[in-house]
Amino acid sequence: MTSSLEALPAPEATEGVETLVRLLRGRRTVVLTGAGCSTESGIPDYRGPGTRARARNPIQHREYLTRPEIRARYWARSLLGWPRFSSAKPNAAHHALAQMERNGVVPGLITQNVDRLHHAAGSSRVIELHGALARVRCLDCGEQEARVDLQERLLALNPDFAHHVLELRPDGDAELSSELLQSFHVPACLRCGGTLKPDVVFFGDNVPAPTVEAAFSLVEEGDALLVVGSSLAIFSGYRFLVRASERRMPIAILNIGECRGVELADVRVEARAGDVLPRLAEALARG
């Protein structure tokens, strides 16, 4: 097994593509994507190779709801991380999946990512399990605001923070020392003055039931499941692997590093998604 993000040697990569083609050809393939699909766009992940050495605890849902200092820390970090996060572009993997949808190979995809890069690449049927950082929602009145607009308000309230350049994190924020948080101002909802939260599912929260139902419904439409760039460590994604296995659907996993549920898969390929998916899309388009 490979332990870095370096591409596999050409013969092994070719063999991996051919293995996937044999399994997926002629089948409507539902795709489940995780953070590893976006690392080649410059967005780090929580569990990929090398992550443990730089691991940080993600935002916890209950702490965000109950502790004002946690909300201040999140929005201060987010102010710094948003410009880089929002400027990320789709990579070859995103474009290949969009092409597979246009070709009728992929009926739709389920993503654990909150970066909207699948949309930017042209995928039209995308179920966002964990929401999207592009939206902000008021916890009191439900009003929504575009994250790009909130960035302007954050900068107006905290102009000095724009000068800090720190480490980007997977959820779109950045590392920040506690000393910088003492004078940070958190904007309130424009409609009611309530508490704002990024429209994403934080750790410890539940994926909304309608989203889960839509994702299960999509799995039911498919003849096969392809997991791309996910360790499947959390249940929100793993349950779809289990459902596919229960339906006796062929399952393929394209991921680097540790992965939960590999014993349920028919095929496991360890390679970068951007190296494999364009070649897979081309081969499957030929029928």
Side-chain angles (χ1 to χ4, degrees):
M1 293 185 179
T2 183
S3 60
S4 72
L5 282 179
E6 293 299 317
L8 291 175
E12 295 181 45
T14 299
E15 181 180 351
V17 173
E18 292 174 350
T19 301
L20 291 173
V21 170
R22 285 194 295 269
L23 184 71
L24 302 178
R25 176 173 282 142
R27 292 188 166 107
R28 286 169 55 80
T29 301
V30 175
V31 180
L32 170 64
T33 68
C37 193
S38 293
T39 52
E40 294 171 59
S41 294
I43 297 176
D45 59 5
Y46 277 116
R47 298 182 180 85
T51 301
R52 299 185 191 280
R54 53 178 168 80
R56 302 289 189 275
N57 292 325
I59 291 290
Q60 298 293 321
H61 178 69
R62 182 176 295 276
E63 288 189 343
Y64 186 91
L65 296 184
T66 60
R67 297 175 58 185
E69 70 273 20
I70 295 296
R71 294 196 292 272
R73 180 177 293 115
Y74 173 81
W75 287 116
R77 291 172 168 176
S78 181
L79 184 155
L80 299 175
W82 176 253
R84 181 178 168 190
F85 183 88
S86 60
S87 64
K89 304 298 182 185
N91 61 54
H94 297 108
H95 288 295
L97 290 172
Q99 184 62 51
M100 290 167 71
E101 183 183 13
R102 289 191 293 270
N103 291 343
V105 174
V106 169
L109 62 86
I110 305 162
T111 186
Q112 297 171 284
N113 299 336
V114 295
D115 51 40
R116 282 286 169 92
L117 292 181
H118 287 300
H119 295 82
S123 291
S124 60
R125 189 179 182 188
V126 181
I127 298 174
E128 296 172 312
L129 283 181
H130 299 156
L133 282 176
R135 300 184 303 265
V136 177
R137 179 170 53 86
C138 177
L139 294 175
D140 297 287
C141 72
E143 181 77 0
Q144 292 193 8
E145 182 178 0
R147 178 62 183 81
V148 65
D149 294 336
L150 184 66
Q151 183 73 0
E152 296 303 316
R153 295 208 285 137
L154 283 164
L155 289 169
L157 289 171
N158 306 280
D160 294 338
F161 270 74
H163 302 298
H164 298 285
V165 180
L166 301 174
E167 179 187 355
L168 181 68
R169 291 173 44 150
D171 45 10
D173 64 6
E175 281 304 303
L176 189 65
S177 65
S178 57
E179 292 78 8
L180 294 173
L181 295 173
Q182 296 178 3
S183 61
F184 188 82
H185 299 285
V186 178
C189 172
L190 290 171
R191 180 181 180 184
C192 75
T195 299
L196 295 176
K197 176 183 175 293
D199 199 12
V200 299
V201 177
F202 282 143
F203 282 77
D205 194 8
N206 296 316
V207 177
T211 302
V212 175
E213 292 168 4
F216 274 130
S217 179
L218 178 56
V219 172
E220 296 290 333
E221 292 181 30
D223 305 314
L225 176 70
L226 171 62
V227 178
V228 178
S230 177
S231 67
L232 299 174
I234 58 176
F235 183 70
S236 68
Y238 178 71
R239 60 183 140 193
F240 303 111
L241 184 79
V242 173
R243 175 62 62 87
S245 178
E246 291 172 346
R247 296 190 64 231
R248 299 186 183 278
M249 295 168 62
I251 297 171
I253 295 177
L254 172 60
N255 185 61
I256 295 176
E258 298 178 8
C259 187
R260 181 183 182 188
V262 292
E263 70 280 1
L264 301 178
D266 299 273
V267 171
R268 166 80 184 278
V269 176
E270 286 210 74
R272 294 195 307 183
D275 292 336
V276 171
L277 290 181
R279 297 162 65 184
L280 177 64
E282 181 180 359
L284 294 178
R286 296 196 295 266

